Amino acid sequence: MGEMPRFQLGVIGALFLSVASSVSIVICNKALMSNLGFPFATTLTSWHLMVTFCTLHAAQRLNLFESKSIDMKTVILFGILNGVSIGLLNLSLGFNSIGFYQMTKLAIIPFTVLLETLFLKKQFSQKIKLSLFVLLAGVGIASVTDLQLNFVGTVLSLLAIITTCVGQILTSTIQKRLNVSSTQLLYQSAPFQAAILFVSGPVVDQFLTRKNVFAHKYSSVVLAFIILSCIISVSVNFSTFMVIGKTSPVTYQVLGHLKTCLVLGFGYTLLHDPFTVRNIIGILVAIFGMGLYSYFCVQENKKKQSVDLSLASQMKDRDSTPILSMQDKEISHEARKSTKSSLV
């Protein structure tokens, strides 16, 4: 029974760490890119992953966690897939309007639900689907403004959705099926994610910004914000793998939309971004949807736990019954044997 409270505390801790670190890095990167003129998002992500790997390598050398070998082919393909999904999301943002990019991010949840239903045979109740619909509607109202379509941007968005969904589903599946922790999986895959983004990042960024990351003038303030962004990214990457491993890809995406609402709120209060009644209504609807999702998930988990306990109890009774009956048979056999001896 003590395992369940510890697990729940681990989930709460992972969720809190993910929200706090993600909101922090968004505000840091927004200041870096918007105010300080450093627009190289894909290259910056490769630096994030390299710093994450170096930090985990140091932690592993200090015996803070035990490294576990995973099939190299699985790790390489997993790392490349996640790296490609990041590059495609950035390209999608470059080729589409901000409104269409937000629609792309909203589409990740229903597509993840579809993939898990088709290929993993996972069942989502009507209540969960309803809460997700309310959540997505709220985030859409709050964040989606202009919708401008073009063929290349649409193709890139579809590819970004597919790779992101598959990558997050694999993050959960690998941890559970291979019995590896989030730290172990991140440690094994981070070098490959960093490598593909380190090679492709400057090319993607130059294509999108018409600027060369290596020719950029790095002031002390820019360098300070880059270092701060890389430090926060260790927590972001770690908590991402932990949340997906302890919960599910869909829950992680729901959490991502909570971060969007928080970023909109912080942007208004700290950075004085424009805020409208539509933003407020959308955020309130989204928070209501998140509340419904959380409530229904808790109720379904309680129901599942009670069913599991009932099945375990039945199995225990079933296993104990043959032993009792065997003892009864032995006692009866001994009684008949002793009766027969006395007659003789």
Side-chain angles (χ1 to χ4, degrees), residues 28 30-38 216-217 219 221-222 225:
C28 177
K30 189 167 184 178
L32 180 61
M33 295 176 186
S34 301
N35 300 339
L36 300 175
F38 185 85
H216 187 76
K217 292 181 179 180
S219 66
V221 178
V222 169
F225 269 86

Side-chain angles (χ1 to χ4, degrees), residues 169-339:
I169 290 171
L170 284 176
T171 301
S172 175
T173 304
I174 290 172
Q175 288 185 60
K176 289 170 182 174
R177 292 192 178 177
L178 299 184
N179 195 27
V180 296
S181 68
S182 55
T183 311
Q184 291 167 335
L185 179 59
L186 180 59
Y187 177 60
Q188 294 285 341
S189 62
F192 301 103
Q193 295 183 58
I196 192 168
L197 288 175
F198 188 76
V199 172
S200 63
V203 179
V204 172
D205 287 335
Q206 186 160 12
F207 181 77
L208 294 175
T209 65
R210 309 297 183 210
K211 296 178 182 178
N212 189 338
V213 65
F214 300 112
H216 187 76
K217 292 181 179 180
Y218 293 88
S219 66
S220 57
V221 178
V222 169
L223 287 173
F225 269 86
I226 289 174
I227 292 169
L228 178 61
S229 180
C230 288
I231 292 171
I232 299 172
S233 73
V234 177
S235 177
V236 172
N237 290 325
F238 174 72
S239 60
T240 296
F241 276 61
M242 187 184 291
V243 169
I244 295 175
K246 288 184 175 295
T247 57
S248 69
V250 173
T251 299
Y252 174 72
Q253 285 298 324
V254 170
L255 191 68
H257 292 305
L258 171 61
K259 299 171 196 173
T260 300
C261 294
L262 290 175
V263 167
L264 287 172
F266 279 116
Y268 173 70
T269 55
L270 298 179
L271 305 176
H272 305 292
D273 289 341
F275 214 60
T276 65
V277 175
R278 174 177 170 173
N279 296 133
I280 296 171
I281 293 172
I283 289 174
L284 291 175
V285 172
I287 291 173
F288 178 67
M290 291 173 206
L292 285 177
Y293 178 80
S294 301
Y295 175 76
F296 291 143
C297 281
V298 169
Q299 293 300 312
E300 290 187 6
N301 284 334
K302 285 182 179 179
K303 189 183 293 184
K304 183 180 177 184
Q305 287 171 18
S306 64
V307 170
D308 290 342
L309 286 172
S310 176
L311 287 173
S313 177
Q314 290 176 8
M315 289 295 294
K316 188 176 179 180
D317 293 340
R318 192 180 302 170
D319 290 340
S320 62
T321 301
I323 296 173
L324 294 172
S325 63
M326 285 288 291
Q327 289 176 344
D328 291 341
K329 285 181 180 178
E330 288 178 3
I331 292 170
S332 177
H333 179 70
E334 290 294 332
R336 285 198 300 270
K337 188 175 179 182
S338 60
T339 304

Side-chain angles (χ1 to χ4, degrees), residues 3 9 16 27 48 72 89 92 126-127 130 139 164 189 204 225 230 233 241 244 251 258 263 302 311 343:
E3 290 295 324
L9 281 175
F16 177 79
I27 293 172
H48 288 170
M72 188 56 64
L89 280 169
S92 173
Q126 294 299 322
K127 292 180 180 179
L130 174 63
V139 176
T164 301
S189 62
V204 172
F225 269 86
C230 288
S233 73
F241 276 61
I244 295 175
T251 299
L258 171 61
V263 167
K302 285 182 179 179
L311 287 173
L343 288 171

